[in-house]
């Protein structure tokens, strides 16, 4: 029976769809679930089912179903998740101040180490603010130019004085590079600032 080959964690959802099909609440359904293979390993599938009823009594007598194997997609999603976690750990282990900006230069993310370097306990008030405007007025032109250069040629950099919010004097060497989306289009910018105050 389908109960025997359905993963225990998905059985309640399976039974609920079956109940709704029998009751006539829905005529078809499509959802993801796990089947248990003969070797005992679970496999992800997308199941699309409908109900066929007796023309006279309108009682259901079979459930045609199309089952699509999702194993490759699920494996890719898992690998992508592991890759993103790996990249996140790399970012958080860096000794530099790493930021993600949108194409207008607004701050979307700042690494934990970056917050420490700037003496920021809560990044919330800075998120979605213009990163350019966080620089002193005399250095905002350099920051804006580096962003435009990164979008145009794939690389922008500058060195400038930028004190912390508490007023601590710091000099930074900043490199900006584009981040592409799945279609290869520049979607965001990666800004890496190194504290060169003691250099």
């Amino acid at each position: 029976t389908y109960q025997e080959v359905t993963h225990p964690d998905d059985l309640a959802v399976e039974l609920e769809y079956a109940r709704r099909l029998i009751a006539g609440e829905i005529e078809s359904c499509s959802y993801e679930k796990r089947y248990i293979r003969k070797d005992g390993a679970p496999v992800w599938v997308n199941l699309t089912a409908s109900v066929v009823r007796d023309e006279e009594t309108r009682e259901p007598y079979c459930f045609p179903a199309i089952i699509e194997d999702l194993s490759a997609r699920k494996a890719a999603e898992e690998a992508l998740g592991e890759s993103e976690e790996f990249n996140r750990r790399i970012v958080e282990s860096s000794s530099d101040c790493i930021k993600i900006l949108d194409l207008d230069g607004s701050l979307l993310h700042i690494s934990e180490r970056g917050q420490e370097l700037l003496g920021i306990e809560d990044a919330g008030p800075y998120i979605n603010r213009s990163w350019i405007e966080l620089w002193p007025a005399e250095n905002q032109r350099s920051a804006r130019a580096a962003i435009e250069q990164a979008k145009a040629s794939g690389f922008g950099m500058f060195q400038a004085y930028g004190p912390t919010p508490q007023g601590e004097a710091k000099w930074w060497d900043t490199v900006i590079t584009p981040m592409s989306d799945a279609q290869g289009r520049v979607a965001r910018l990666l800004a890496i600032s190194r504290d060169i105050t003691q250099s």
Side-chain angles (χ1 to χ4, degrees):
T1 65
Y2 67 83
Q3 291 99 325
E4 294 174 315
V5 297
T6 297
H7 192 284
D9 293 345
D10 300 330
L11 186 55
V13 173
E14 180 98 336
L15 292 173
E16 176 60 16
Y17 274 117
R19 183 197 66 77
R20 296 180 66 190
L21 284 167
I22 292 171
E25 296 177 7
I26 55 175
E27 290 299 318
S28 64
C29 60
S30 182
Y31 57 97
E32 294 182 5
K33 59 171 286 184
R34 285 162 291 183
Y35 273 126
I36 304 298
R37 300 190 315 191
K38 287 185 178 181
D39 62 5
V43 56
W44 278 99
V45 302
N46 186 82
L47 185 144
T48 302
S50 58
V51 59
V52 175
R53 301 180 182 278
D54 184 277
E55 292 184 0
E56 295 182 1
T57 66
R58 302 305 298 162
E59 290 295 319
Y61 66 84
C62 72
F63 298 96
I66 299 173
I67 298 174
E68 177 189 4
D69 187 350
L70 300 180
S71 300
R73 196 196 81 189
K74 288 294 184 179
E77 289 176 351
E78 182 177 346
L80 178 61
E82 292 175 353
S83 175
E84 290 176 344
E85 174 63 15
F86 180 70
N87 290 337
R88 187 191 67 78
R89 290 181 181 179
I90 291 176
V91 167
E92 296 304 336
S93 66
S94 172
S95 60
D96 297 327
C97 178
I98 299 180
K99 300 158 293 294
I100 296 176
L101 314 175
D102 69 12
L103 297 183
D104 294 323
S106 293
L107 183 65
L108 301 178
H109 174 77
I110 182 171
S111 65
E112 291 182 7
R113 177 56 178 161
Q115 293 181 55
E116 292 176 6
L117 289 170
L118 290 169
I120 297 174
E121 294 185 2
D122 178 15
Y126 300 91
I127 299 301
N128 295 320
R129 285 183 56 188
S130 172
W131 174 72
I132 297 171
E133 294 178 1
L134 296 178
W135 290 90
E138 64 271 19
N139 294 326
Q140 290 180 10
R141 179 178 296 180
S142 296
R144 184 174 290 104
I147 285 177
E148 295 304 320
Q149 188 176 4
K151 290 191 291 185
S153 64
F155 181 83
M157 67 176 296
F158 70 105
Q159 291 184 352
Y161 169 75
T164 69
Q166 295 76 28
E168 181 183 356
K170 283 184 180 288
W171 281 83
W172 306 92
D173 180 83
T174 300
V175 175
I176 304 176
T177 54
M179 300 174 67
S180 300
D181 60 18
Q183 287 71 45
R185 297 171 299 195
V186 176
R188 294 177 179 176
L189 299 170
L190 178 68
I192 302 176
S193 299
R194 176 161 294 177
D195 183 355
I196 58 172
T197 307
Q198 304 302 323
S199 300

